[in-house]
Every structure is written in C-alpha cells, then in structure tokens.
Amino acid sequence: MKLINEIYINGKFVEPHGTETFDLINPTTQELLGKVRLGDVADTQNAIAAAKEAFKSFSKTTKEERIGYLEKMYSAVLKRKKELIDIMVEEYGSPVQFATASFQNAVGSIATNVEVLKKFGLEKKIGNAVVTNNPVGVVGIISPWNASNGFICTKLSTAIAAGCTAVIKPSEMSAMQTQVLTECLHEAGLPEGVFNIVNGLGNIVGAEITKSLDIAKISFTGSTMVGKTIAKDGAETLKKITLELGGKSANIIMEDADLSIAIPQSLGLAFMNSGQACIAATRLLVPESRVDEVKSNLKQYVNTITVGNPEDEKTNIGPMVSVKQYERVQSYIKIGMEEGAEILSGGLGHPEGLEHGNFVKPTVFVNVTNDMRIAREEIFGPVLSVITYKTLEDAIEKANDTAYGLAAYIQTNDEKQAYQVANLLEAGTVAVNGFKHEPLAPFGGMKQSGIGREFGEYGLEEYMELKTILI
C-alpha cells in the first residue's frame, strides 16, 4: 500500500500541516491502493506565499528563459511516459487507450506552449500607445480527476509561458498520479516557488486558493456547480477566472450520413473516457425518417464495445472512478426508465463477470425527449440518449435547447452544410465527422459550460494582463 505523506512547496517535498487522510481505491477491483495525507488552510497559505515571492523574479524572465524551462518540463514528463500511463490506468481505471492519448495531450500541450510563446508578441504599437502583455500574477490551478495530469500540464505550462507562478490543487482522488507528475516537475529544475502542489479537499484547499487576495487568476476544470461557487468567491477579489465546466453535447446525424460510419463514431464520442468526459456526445439527434435504421445500427455496434479490465488494449470502457460515481450513473439509468425512455441496450447493474468493480453497462436510451432529465443533466457515464428531429432547423433548436454549450458534433457527407450548421450551434467547439484535438485552437464553453478559453495563443492571453503605455 502506498502512503503519500508529502506536498510540494517552494521547490521541496514537505510534510503537510494537515493531518486528515484520504483512501485511494482501485476502481477496477475495489482494493485499497494507498492513502494520501491532505493539506489544510495553513499549507495552502504557505504555498501561496511561496508562489507570490517567486513571482517577483519569475515575472521578469525573458521568453527565451521560459522556453528553456518548458523544454525541461517536456523532457522530464516524457521520460516517465510508461509510469504516468500505468498509474492513470491503475488509480483512475482509465482504459489504456485513453490513458495513452491523455499522456500525449499532456506532453503535447507543453510543446505547443513552447511554439506559441516563440511567436507571441509581448508588446504592440497601437496609435500613440504601446500595449504590453504582462503576467497576471499567481495562478490558482484546480484540476479534476478524469484526466488530472493532462489538465495540470496544460494549465501549468501556460502559466509558465506567461511568466506566472502557480499553486495547484489536484483532485485528491488522483494523488498517485499527481505524485509521479510532481517528481517529474521537480526533476525539471524549475525555480523554487514557480509551482506548488497541495493535495486537499475543494472546500478547504480549493476555497483558500479561490478567496486569497494573493491569487490573481483561477483556472478551474470541473463541474458547473463547483464552477459557480468559484466564480462567486473569486468575484470578492475580482480575480481573472477561466472555467471549463460540464456539458451535455448534442451530436446531429444529418439525413445524408452513412450510418455504418456515423453510428460507431457516435458511440465512441458518447462513451469516450468511459463516458466520464465533459465533451462526451451524450445526446444523439437523428432524423425521424431514419430512426428505425439508427436503432438497428446502434444495437449492432454497441455490442462490439468492450467493457472490462482497463489494462487490456481491447477495452473501450473501464470502471467509473468511484462507487459514488457508479451509483450516480445507476440512478440516472433508473430515472430514464421512470421518465418513459426505452432502453435499447444496457441498463441497470454490472456487466456480467464484472461485479467487483465500478463497471457500468454501456446504455442507450431511445424515445427520449429533450425535456427528460437524462437529456438535460450531465450524467458523466456511458449513457446515450437518442432524440429524433423532423427538420434540420428542429435539430439545431433541440441541440441548442440546453443549459450547456461546451461541444457539439455533426455527422454528414456535406461539409459545406455542416459548416453552416456549426455556426448556428451554441457551443465552444463543434466537430464534424469525429473529434480530433487541436491544441492551437481555443477550447472552452458557452452558457453554463464555462467562461474563458484555454490552449494556444487565446489561452496564453488569459494568463496575461494588458497594459497601455502612453509616452
């Protein structure tokens, strides 16, 4: 059993002042993997103080110096690729396919920030003024459990590129993953205090970061409910805030779509990361004229999805991260049944032979209407709701009839029309015929899916403050 008894402050692994511990449970087997000792308010204040002190000098570094630090960070993380993938599979239950892709996105974000910073203009002449981009200050980074190290690498590398220092609160459920990543970052030789990591609970460590006068910006990825709390608390000190929150993404299959391609693709988009993804395409909008065809294809292809041991390369869906999350998904499947939706595939309970882990049957509901809870609320599990539409205008209206606006998807052979539809969808990202991450493009949500953008030049600007100099 692994015991994690240290946090990272001012360039050193230190014993936390906090004494509370949190159990780390293997979601595949329910076995106890280890315990992590959690930091408290005092630990968080110490981390903030270290970041504040480090900012005095780090904010004055040149682009070339920051690029050098990012390149060291990249090399240190890349060197422990296998270990970082393996620990994500073990602690989180991520299928090794997704864990590998998540790792590539993590190191890719660091490399991308190197390229962005090389081309980024720190000052610009506008009329009689010079406008400069300046690091915003100490950044509070709060990351979720569904791709913890990927989010930390993205947010921290952006902060470093901007000349900011950081205090990071990872999910306590990802402590083993965080430990390996922290060792990588320590090995990279970043200046003391540039990054500080405190394991702890959101209502203690997260709240202290959010409310602190010395934190200039918050970058948070997680639930909409927590994001609203962070926005309220951060408003007291007028922090800059980037919130990447929940989603209930629509996936429109247009009349001309080839279902032999569109249906497997749609299931992959719905069940990515075992369904525990904010951008999962969990509302499938299909034309009424093709609904029987769609049902037949869904039945055929959902049976090809493998649920099981996340270490197996063939596994598509692993366990839910915790018993609590498993029970949440089960409760929504029950709600869908009570609302009158029809289960086409899956349903309540564990898949046969997987009763000991947090495994969920990949579930497809048909005869769903857009007013049902399973169509309106984020479930965060492998549950897909199929909704019919009469016309393309009806499809767009139903796609936009949601509190969320993180992502949307379109399946069609007509890319010209897809572009026109994409411009009418209320979502921060619209993907046509699949999804491929573009780290140079901005990512973030509309409506209750968030505020601000991450990635590329747009993301870097979020960590900067503009200053106008008139001479």
Side-chain angles (χ1 to χ4, degrees):
M1 185 174 75
K2 186 172 182 63
L3 299 176
I4 300 173
N5 291 317
E6 297 175 318
I7 55 178
Y8 193 85
I9 297 178
N10 204 31
K12 299 178 180 64
F13 289 94
V14 298
E15 182 180 353
H17 176 268
T19 58
E20 185 178 353
T21 61
F22 182 85
D23 289 346
L24 304 169
I25 307 295
N26 185 321
T28 304
T29 64
Q30 295 295 340
E31 295 173 347
L32 181 66
L33 290 172
K35 291 177 179 286
V36 57
R37 185 168 160 186
L38 303 177
D40 61 10
V41 171
D43 293 311
T44 312
Q45 290 173 343
N46 290 339
I48 293 170
K52 182 181 179 182
E53 182 62 28
F55 180 75
K56 294 176 183 178
S57 56
F58 193 71
S59 60
K60 297 180 178 66
T61 54
T62 64
K63 283 174 60 169
E64 290 70 27
E65 287 174 310
R66 295 176 205 167
I67 287 168
Y69 288 128
L70 289 172
E71 288 173 340
K72 289 179 181 178
M73 179 180 172
Y74 176 88
S75 297
V77 174
L78 185 63
K79 191 160 68 173
R80 296 181 73 174
K81 174 181 177 179
K82 185 178 186 306
E83 193 175 351
L84 286 162
I85 292 171
D86 289 348
I87 198 67
M88 184 175 180
V89 173
E90 181 181 25
E91 183 179 45
Y92 169 52
S94 168
V96 68
Q97 295 177 21
F98 182 82
T100 302
S102 180
F103 174 83
Q104 296 297 347
N105 286 341
V107 291
S109 69
I110 304 170
T112 298
N113 273 317
V114 169
E115 296 309 309
V116 169
L117 184 55
K118 285 178 180 178
K119 299 174 184 176
F120 191 80
L122 293 177
E123 64 178 47
K124 185 177 182 180
K125 185 80 165 62
I126 300 178
N128 294 319
V130 175
V131 178
T132 62
N133 281 290
N134 302 275
V136 67
V138 180
V139 178
I141 294 172
I142 303 175
S143 65
W145 43 256
N146 64 329
S148 177
N149 284 347
F151 287 111
I152 292 173
C153 285
T154 297
K155 296 173 190 293
L156 178 59
S157 63
T158 309
I160 290 170
C164 298
T165 57
V167 177
I168 303 167
K169 191 215 90 68
S171 170
E172 64 279 6
M173 297 170 70
S174 307
M176 291 171 63
Q177 297 167 72
T178 303
Q179 182 70 14
V180 178
L181 182 63
T182 308
E183 291 168 6
C184 294
L185 298 175
H186 177 73
E187 185 181 325
L190 302 175
E192 292 180 357
V194 165
F195 79 97
N196 306 269
I197 300 180
V198 182
N199 292 309
L201 301 177
N203 62 348
I204 298 174
V205 175
E208 185 63 26
I209 290 172
T210 304
K211 294 174 182 178
S212 173
L213 284 166
D214 293 324
I215 296 287
K217 172 185 169 61
I218 297 287
S219 179
F220 169 76
T221 299
S223 73
T224 296
M225 181 180 67
V226 175
K228 289 178 179 179
T229 300
I230 289 173
K232 289 175 186 175
D233 290 346
E236 290 295 322
T237 50
L238 293 179
K239 294 180 185 353
K240 290 190 75 168
I241 293 180
T242 302
L243 303 174
E244 192 262 280
L245 308 176
K248 194 69 182 178
S249 301
N251 179 13
I252 301 175
I253 292 184
M254 289 171 56
E255 287 275 1
D256 71 321
D258 181 343
L259 296 185
S260 67
I261 297 172
I263 294 300
Q265 202 165 69
S266 297
L267 289 169
L269 292 169
F271 299 155
M272 67 171 79
N273 196 9
S274 304
Q276 298 175 131
C278 51
I279 60 171
T282 52
R283 289 185 299 144
L284 184 62
L285 304 184
V286 304
E288 279 186 3
S289 61
R290 302 191 70 183
V291 66
D292 290 337
E293 221 183 325
V294 167
K295 287 181 183 179
S296 176
N297 277 268
L298 282 168
K299 268 190 175 181
Q300 175 188 345
Y301 288 110
V302 78
N303 289 329
T304 67
I305 293 172
T306 301
V307 183
N309 184 350
E311 296 178 5
D312 190 332
E313 291 277 355
K314 296 178 181 177
T315 294
N316 306 116
I317 297 177
M320 300 297 93
V321 69
S322 64
V323 171
K324 181 180 178 182
Q325 188 62 23
Y326 168 83
E327 291 175 345
R328 173 185 171 85
V329 177
Q330 293 297 305
S331 72
Y332 271 103
I333 295 174
K334 187 176 180 182
I335 286 167
M337 295 165 65
E338 291 170 347
E339 287 181 313
E342 175 192 341
I343 291 180
L344 185 73
S345 180
L348 292 168
H350 295 85
E352 187 177 350
L354 296 170
E355 291 80 10
H356 297 297
N358 304 327
F359 294 95
V360 171
K361 297 174 186 176
T363 299
V364 177
F365 279 105
V366 293
N367 300 334
V368 179
T369 56
N370 222 31
D371 58 345
M372 292 181 180
R373 287 182 64 189
I374 58 170
R376 303 202 71 79
E377 298 175 16
E378 187 175 44
I379 298 171
F380 230 59
V383 180
L384 174 63
S385 294
V386 180
I387 302 165
T388 60
Y389 66 85
K390 296 180 185 298
T391 63
L392 191 52
E393 290 73 23
D394 182 35
I396 294 167
E397 185 177 342
K398 284 177 175 174
N400 291 338
D401 181 21
T402 174
Y404 297 106
L406 188 59
Y409 303 85
I410 302 168
Q411 313 283 340
T412 182
N413 289 318
D414 188 342
E415 291 192 2
K416 183 178 180 181
Q417 189 173 38
Y419 184 80
Q420 294 170 347
V421 172
N423 274 308
L424 296 173
L425 294 175
E426 296 167 355
T429 298
V430 182
V432 179
N433 296 330
F435 179 82
K436 185 178 180 181
H437 176 55
E438 175 46 76
L440 288 171
F443 178 77
M446 299 180 181
K447 299 189 280 190
Q448 293 191 38
S449 284
I451 299 170
R453 294 293 182 266
E454 297 194 78
F455 298 117
E457 181 178 338
Y458 299 92
L460 183 57
E461 288 173 349
E462 300 266 356
Y463 289 70
M464 298 283 199
E465 283 284 20
L466 294 174
K467 180 184 293 183
T468 297
I469 301 175
L470 299 168
I471 299 177

